Amino acid sequence: MLFAADLATIVQNTLQDPELLRTTPETMLRHLSRAQQWVALRYRLLRHTYPLPLVANAPFVDLFPLIPRLIVVTHVASDTGVRLYPFSLGRLRLSNPSWIATSGTPQGYYRIGWRYLGLYPVSLTEATYQVTALILPPAFQTLTDVVSVPEAFTPQVAKIASGLLTIGQSRRYQEGLAMLRDALAVTAPATQGGDPRAA
């Protein structure tokens, strides 16, 4: 089991600041939290399945109270295991102008913004569906908090936190950006320096 303090030690050693002279503990926790969240999103690490109770004739449901840290819905399935297909809300509205009043056995799902999930057609009965979603890990509050991402991604989390601190505290932008690119496996732009339109 890995703790925030373990990550902080790796970052301190990377930055050659073992006594946290240039960084406060609060700043360290904030950047460790952000780094853990970036890695979880980049590598799609925290995927969980939640029961979603539906009320009869309700066209959509608010996901925020059920899954507060939800970012992306990846799958929706009925309680019998039948998978629903994702629909684009724009395409759904164009193909069926009365989409919100169409009822029957749901065949697909759509999102409205970040908070709402709808099923199409609208279910006539109460049912429980299974929603699989990517979520953000919780922010670190203390150095004794447990790291949410798998230990195999510790180097990426530490490198991102180091890069953020290098940019924010030391103002060494190129060095910090290089750490971020390396941790997130992002390739550098083709043109170094000048105007990319000139190439």
Side-chain angles (χ1 to χ4, degrees):
M1 187 177 300
L2 199 67
F3 297 96
D6 301 322
L7 288 174
T9 301
I10 296 169
V11 172
Q12 289 168 251
N13 291 336
T14 301
L15 299 177
Q16 298 175 351
D17 186 15
E19 302 299 322
L20 281 179
L21 298 176
R22 295 187 300 263
T23 307
T24 65
E26 295 79 20
T27 303
M28 176 67 78
L29 285 172
R30 188 171 63 249
H31 288 303
L32 286 174
S33 297
R34 190 168 297 145
Q36 179 179 230
Q37 292 170 351
W38 286 13
V39 168
L41 285 178
R42 170 68 175 92
Y43 297 104
R44 301 173 70 90
L45 298 178
L46 301 181
R47 184 178 307 202
H48 296 283
T49 301
Y50 300 90
L52 178 69
L54 286 181
V55 178
N57 296 318
F60 45 83
V61 96
D62 186 357
L63 292 174
F64 186 72
L66 300 170
I67 315 170
R69 295 189 320 270
L70 173 126
I71 295 297
V72 177
V73 172
T74 59
H75 300 89
V76 178
S78 69
D79 54 356
T80 60
V82 176
R83 258 179 88 169
L84 304 184
Y85 296 100
F87 288 132
S88 159
L89 185 56
R91 177 172 272 169
L92 183 61
R93 289 181 2 207
L94 289 173
S95 65
N96 181 2
S98 60
W99 63 275
I100 201 160
T102 304
S103 58
T105 302
Q107 301 295 315
Y109 68 94
Y110 57 89
R111 294 289 302 275
I112 302 175
W114 287 96
R115 292 186 64 137
Y116 298 98
L117 175 88
L119 300 184
Y120 173 80
V122 176
S123 179
L124 290 170
T125 60
E126 291 184 5
T128 301
Y129 283 78
Q130 301 298 318
V131 175
T132 303
L134 297 176
I135 62 167
L136 278 180
F140 293 122
Q141 302 299 318
T142 66
L143 289 172
T144 58
D145 289 347
V146 177
V147 175
S148 298
V149 299
E151 281 191 45
F153 290 89
T154 300
Q156 286 89 343
V157 174
K159 201 171 279 189
I160 289 174
S162 299
L164 291 172
L165 285 165
T166 300
I167 292 169
Q169 302 297 111
S170 305
R171 305 288 188 243
R172 296 192 319 261
Y173 300 108
Q174 294 302 324
E175 185 180 335
L177 286 173
M179 289 179 187
L180 296 178
R181 276 195 299 267
D182 186 40
L184 296 172
V186 176
T187 57
T191 57
Q192 300 292 329
D195 188 353
R197 292 172 293 183

